[in-house]
Amino acid sequence: MSIERVRRRRRTPDEARQEALTCARARLLAGGPDSVTLKAVADDLGMTHANLIHHFGSAEGLQSALMGSMVADLSNALDTAIARLRTDEGAPLELVNAVFDAFAEGGAGKLAASIVLKGDLSHLEPVRDAVNGLVHAIQDKLGDPVNPSQNRLSAAVLFIALSAFGEALIGPPLRDMLDQEDDASRKVVAGLLPHFLLKSSH
């Protein structure tokens, strides 16, 4: 894994945090969750280990902040997809693609799995916020606040998120075993999603 290192220089606290998160994401995508350590990120940025501890507290804190950053990116990507759900037949696939891309290409799936396996679920709080935000956003677009359908909407989001998480972790070998195309999982989820959303609007 080759991560470009930078010379040591003075940074504001916000600059230090943002650069550390950018570096941590590059490490995650290149080498997986185990490569995201305080020492490795500090070395890459020309910072001291103690400096990063000051900003994040621990490696778990850095990973939690990284997950929060990924979730923010996911939320931004979902805005347009959710806005199109009512009128565009292709919108369910766009919504599914946004979630799947975040879990797979963005690295959130592997990072979430690593956090879960370490046993401290508090570091998944950014994911909880994003999932609840997605439920509420779909509710605003498709649901009737006076006649809430939270359970069905939650089920739809659960369906998308679990599918995206599974695809990120084991999708490629499973698809190979079943002789399926690369986008097979996404198409299955997108095809079933309108059934959740249609029911939720009644």
Side-chain angles (χ1 to χ4, degrees):
M1 178 181 64
S2 176
I3 302 292
E4 184 178 352
R5 299 190 176 191
V6 299
R7 295 177 60 186
R8 184 167 298 185
R9 61 181 174 79
R10 296 183 67 85
R11 300 172 174 88
T12 67
D14 286 344
E15 287 175 339
R17 282 184 61 87
Q18 188 54 52
E19 289 183 23
L21 291 174
T22 299
C23 177
R25 182 176 294 207
R27 283 195 152 272
L28 173 69
L29 295 176
D34 290 342
S35 69
V36 184
T37 65
L38 289 175
K39 183 180 185 307
V41 172
D43 288 347
D44 291 341
L45 295 177
M47 298 170 65
T48 65
H49 184 266
N51 197 327
L52 275 191
I53 289 178
H54 171 73
H55 290 296
F56 298 101
S58 64
E60 289 76 17
L62 172 61
Q63 291 188 351
S64 179
L66 177 57
M67 179 63 77
S69 174
M70 290 176 167
V71 165
D73 289 347
L74 171 60
S75 296
N76 290 334
L78 288 172
D79 285 345
T80 300
I82 292 170
R84 291 178 54 194
L85 277 175
R86 270 193 181 276
T87 58
D88 192 334
E89 291 183 0
L93 182 57
E94 182 178 334
L95 177 64
V96 169
N97 281 337
V99 179
F100 271 60
D101 286 346
F103 273 86
E105 297 173 16
K110 290 181 179 178
L111 181 57
S114 175
I115 291 173
V116 169
L117 290 173
K118 289 177 181 177
D120 188 354
L121 300 185
S122 65
H123 293 294
L124 288 178
E125 282 304 309
V127 179
R128 178 198 298 270
D129 294 340
V131 167
N132 287 333
L134 179 55
V135 171
H136 294 149
I138 296 176
Q139 176 74 56
D140 290 342
K141 285 293 176 184
L142 301 175
D144 177 2
V146 179
N147 182 25
S149 49
Q150 188 81 1
N151 288 338
R152 285 185 178 136
L153 287 174
S154 296
V157 173
L158 177 64
F159 176 53
I160 299 171
L162 281 177
S163 300
F165 183 71
E167 172 68 22
L169 296 183
I170 198 173
L174 271 181
R175 283 187 276 101
D176 285 344
M177 293 174 197
L178 297 170
D179 195 25
Q180 294 290 307
E181 299 292 333
D182 290 347
D183 61 351
S185 302
R186 297 174 184 232
K187 287 182 176 178
V188 169
V189 174
L192 293 173
L193 183 58
H195 296 285
F196 286 97
L197 300 179
L198 184 62
K199 290 179 180 179
S200 69
S201 64
H202 294 301

